[in-house]
Amino acid sequence: MKNLVKKAIVASLIVMMGIGTIDCQKKKDDNTGLLLAALFFLNQPEYTVVLVGTLRGADTLPLKDGRVTISNAEGGSFLSSGQDSISDFTSCQTDGAPPANGTVDGEFTLLFRSPSLSGNLNFAPTDSATATNGSTCSAIAALAASDFTNVTGPTGTLSVNLNLSDRQNTNQVSLSGNSGYSITIKSINVFVKGEYTLQSPTVGENVCDGRRLSGGPQIKSGSITGSETWSGGILLQGTVFVESGATITVSPGTAIFGQRGSSIFFKPGSRLEAVGTAADPICWSSASNLGSRFPGDWGGIVTIGTSGATRTSNTEGTTPQPYGNGAPNTGPQNLVMAYNIIEFGGNEVAPGDELNNLSMYSSNTSLSHVQAHRGLDDQFEAWGGTGSWSNILATGGLDDDLDLDEGFGGATPGVGNGTTISNFISHKYPLVCGGSASTDPHALEWDGIHNNGGTACTSGGVNRCTTVTLNKFTLIGASVTGGQAARLREGVVATLQNGIYQGFAQGMQARDEGGATTDTNVTFTTVRGDLANTTSTGAPTVTGSVTVNVTGLPILTDGGINAESNCGFAATKPDYTLNASNAAAGFGGAADGKWWDGWAVFRAR
């Protein structure tokens, strides 16, 4: 029976990816696999809905800092399996009393899947007094409790009736049984599993979509205790642990697919060496059907090294692992990546506990030509450790794109200058492309020491702060509520140089928050943006400032992703080269050429 189940899983994955296993004549245009895939899709219907709305009170004004939750009605099964309930906080963009109609306050985004075209869901609002959002409103201003309007009223019924011939019609959903509150539907987008209209795929998109594979994948689950070399197709099931002493070497062109709920953890003493090429990149992706991949489908990659952090603690994940031991920046290198794509990771394993596309704890890392794409939580996140990073691309993420914390790259006071990251590009996608953005989706979020730490970063040893220079960078936002180009805080020592940003709700902010007795220290050298840098919470040390002279998109093209909402499926791909009005030698994330061209991916699902 076990072998039968395994064979069924393998067969389903092959069909899912449209890989032809019957090709006796070895003709390149054989479409057997695509036909089987089409039949499989027809027999396994599923519809994904991205719903954007505004929660309003009895006075019809938007309600900020509340929360909305949808779930199956009693005895119902409208939501696909694995979706017990889906929630999103309402946005808070303005200070003071509830604003006039037409602002972005009160806005929420819900993404849900269903095997049916019609059905009913419970719709439950929660007031601001019990749905503490933590940062949405407080990040904008210190607001009094009287500034929030509570939501009152019973659980309502959200009726869904999908019309595939008019998929953006807002009348596809309606709310009844509500009292004391209402919702206004801003937009609806419906996606059908199996529909995949990608034009002119890049090399990376072909690898990630399994179009270069033949035969069945190797299945990896449980613990891996010995060194292995991976090639072809790999399927991850559940939480996979790579134990101490084992090295996983991934060959160029390999595609690794994570089933829903899966992740891979590299424990201290293990090593991941994944070196691809521009012609044969390595891809880590979702095992969901083409056209139905979304942020958070799987957990992503977690590495745990012995290069220290500002504390000892446990990782995120269903089975948290300890990290933080070891002297700063002295452990052996445990992660090497070149020409890798990591996408659709960051599933929530518990409320408020999300994994990321790439999570690095106390790790000594080398990253060159690495893309994190469409992560539900952070794209790249490091707790302590150190790294040598260049040519880093983060696209379509729904929280922070580059999150550094707990002494990452920090030099012992008076010794060295920390870590330099060169050629970094962050590109946010509009919410219509799918997925629920966090309450504060920043390009950069850097913390010097964990949760203020309570200790001085200048004391040396494990208490050094995150110390990083970001050189040559481009940050493109999508005006998502609560998002900043950068939030730099908790004693971080940050140098930002030769960079540009545009399209965020707020610019770059330095914050000096409690605990760490050494204040936040930020230096701007030749940085331009469309919004000025700001300071808040204390008196951080800021040297230089942002030159505010950016008007309009500063790059040659975003591929129409932000302007046309094609969400990366069009033939035109982004070109992050700065346009003539913003070009300068050695400036921007593309200063050293189009290093992402041809191998990176851009389709949103």
Side-chain angles (χ1 to χ4, degrees):
M1 175 60 83
K2 290 183 179 179
N3 288 334
L4 179 61
V5 171
K6 179 178 284 189
K7 289 180 180 179
I9 293 172
V10 172
S12 296
L13 181 68
I14 296 169
V15 173
M16 170 198 76
M17 296 185 295
I19 303 170
T21 57
I22 303 173
D23 187 5
C24 297
Q25 297 179 356
K26 300 297 180 183
K27 292 182 179 179
K28 291 183 179 180
D29 60 351
D30 181 81
N31 290 317
T32 303
L34 297 178
L35 176 60
L36 291 173
L39 293 174
F40 178 78
F41 292 144
L42 289 174
N43 290 320
Q44 302 288 329
E46 187 177 58
Y47 311 97
T48 299
V49 179
V50 181
L51 169 65
V52 181
T54 301
L55 180 64
R56 300 181 183 275
D59 55 5
T60 74
L61 293 177
L63 295 171
K64 56 189 175 184
D65 212 29
R67 184 176 185 173
V68 298
T69 302
I70 57 173
S71 59
N72 279 319
E74 185 175 354
S77 58
F78 182 65
L79 295 177
S80 296
S81 62
Q83 299 180 101
D84 295 329
S85 65
I86 299 165
S87 299
D88 191 35
F89 289 107
T90 60
S91 60
C92 175
Q93 186 69 2
T94 59
D95 191 358
N101 287 320
T103 73
V104 296
D105 274 353
E107 192 166 290
F108 60 86
T109 302
L110 298 171
L111 183 152
F112 59 91
R113 295 184 177 94
S114 174
S116 304
L117 288 170
S118 61
N120 294 325
L121 296 170
N122 288 331
F123 183 94
T126 310
D127 64 36
S128 57
T130 56
T132 303
N133 197 356
S135 60
T136 305
C137 287
S138 60
I140 297 169
L143 305 179
S146 60
D147 291 327
F148 304 107
T149 302
N150 290 340
V151 181
T152 59
T155 297
T157 298
L158 191 71
S159 299
V160 182
N161 293 282
L162 302 181
N163 182 356
L164 298 185
S165 63
D166 190 8
R167 302 185 188 185
Q168 295 182 326
N169 191 325
T170 56
N171 292 326
Q172 293 176 97
V173 300
S174 60
L175 182 65
S176 61
N178 53 305
S179 176
Y181 69 93
S182 62
I183 62 172
T184 300
I185 306 303
K186 181 178 180 180
S187 67
I188 295 177
N189 282 273
V190 180
F191 306 102
V192 180
K193 183 171 72 173
E195 289 186 350
Y196 196 63
T197 56
L198 177 63
Q199 302 178 50
S200 302
T202 66
V203 169
E205 287 165 343
N206 280 333
V207 171
C208 290
D209 293 348
R211 300 185 186 279
R212 288 187 163 194
L213 303 179
S214 61
Q218 302 177 56
I219 297 176
K220 302 295 180 181
S221 62
S223 294
I224 298 174
T225 58
S227 296
E228 297 182 357
T229 297
W230 292 0
S231 61
I234 304 292
L235 177 64
L236 304 178
Q237 294 181 333
T239 303
V240 179
F241 291 104
V242 181
E243 303 292 341
S244 178
T247 294
I248 301 298
T249 303
V250 185
S251 303
T254 302
I256 301 99
F257 300 97
Q259 284 189 335
R260 189 164 296 174
S262 69
S263 58
I264 184 165
F265 278 66
F266 289 82
K267 290 185 177 182
S270 68
R271 176 180 168 91
L272 171 59
E273 186 164 343
V275 179
T277 67
D280 289 295
I282 294 166
C283 184
W284 308 75
S285 187
S286 162
S288 294
N289 295 286
L290 297 184
S292 294
R293 294 169 170 174
F294 284 95
D297 274 355
W298 70 297
I301 304 169
V302 179
T303 66
I304 310 169
T306 56
S307 287
T310 56
R311 63 172 175 171
T312 56
S313 187
N314 293 314
T315 70
E316 297 165 326
T318 54
T319 309
Q321 302 294 306
Y323 75 93
N325 292 322
N329 307 341
T330 59
Q333 193 173 68
N334 62 314
L335 172 64
V336 178
M337 276 188 169
Y339 290 101
N340 273 232
I341 301 154
I342 311 159
E343 59 177 10
F344 302 115
N347 68 306
E348 186 176 52
V349 297
D353 183 0
E354 301 95 354
L355 292 171
N356 308 288
N357 265 334
L358 180 58
S359 304
M360 296 159 282
Y361 293 89
S362 302
S363 291
N364 183 340
T365 57
S366 173
L367 305 180
S368 172
H369 297 84
V370 178
Q371 179 187 19
H373 181 63
R374 298 293 283 155
L376 178 64
D377 199 48
D378 296 338
Q379 303 265 52
F380 297 90
E381 184 163 8
W383 294 259
T386 188
S388 174
W389 299 2
S390 64
N391 300 334
I392 306 298
L393 176 63
T395 45
L398 293 169
D399 195 25
D400 306 321
D401 287 330
L402 183 59
D403 191 330
L404 308 176
D405 198 355
E406 300 188 13
F408 172 79
T412 299
V415 181
N417 298 309
T419 291
T420 296
I421 300 172
S422 300
N423 298 331
F424 176 75
I425 296 172
S426 162
H427 182 186
K428 296 292 189 186
Y429 283 18
L431 295 182
V432 71
C433 294
S436 298
S438 75
T439 58
D440 51 357
H442 307 325
L444 312 178
E445 181 168 287
W446 296 1
D447 300 337
I449 195 167
H450 60 281
N451 297 325
N452 303 320
T455 57
C457 299
T458 55
S459 62
V462 297
N463 292 324
R464 85 279 191 215
C465 272
T466 297
T467 306
V468 175
T469 296
L470 184 63
N471 181 40
K472 303 177 186 176
F473 63 89
T474 299
L475 315 177
I476 304 298
S479 300
V480 180
T481 300
Q484 297 176 328
R487 182 167 66 186
L488 311 165
R489 60 184 183 177
E490 297 177 2
V492 69
V493 181
T495 301
L496 304 177
Q497 59 190 34
N498 301 318
I500 192 166
Y501 62 84
Q502 180 269 338
F504 293 87
Q506 301 172 57
M508 293 189 164
Q509 184 183 83
R511 306 174 66 169
D512 191 16
E513 296 171 309
T517 57
T518 297
D519 66 1
T520 296
N521 192 312
V522 178
T523 300
F524 295 106
T525 304
T526 319
V527 177
R528 305 205 304 256
D530 56 343
L531 296 169
N533 61 289
T534 59
T535 61
S536 73
T537 316
T541 299
V542 178
T543 303
S545 62
V546 173
T547 301
V548 184
N549 63 358
V550 177
T551 58
L553 191 70
I555 58 177
L556 290 182
T557 177
D558 63 2
I561 292 170
N562 295 67
E564 302 172 15
S565 298
N566 67 45
C567 297
F569 281 85
T572 303
K573 310 300 179 184
D575 187 340
Y576 298 108
T577 305
L578 296 182
N579 56 32
S581 60
N582 292 287
F587 187 79
D592 294 325
K594 301 180 183 182
W595 47 264
W596 67 88
D597 196 31
W599 64 269
V601 303
F602 299 101
R603 72 281 186 275
R605 62 185 193 279

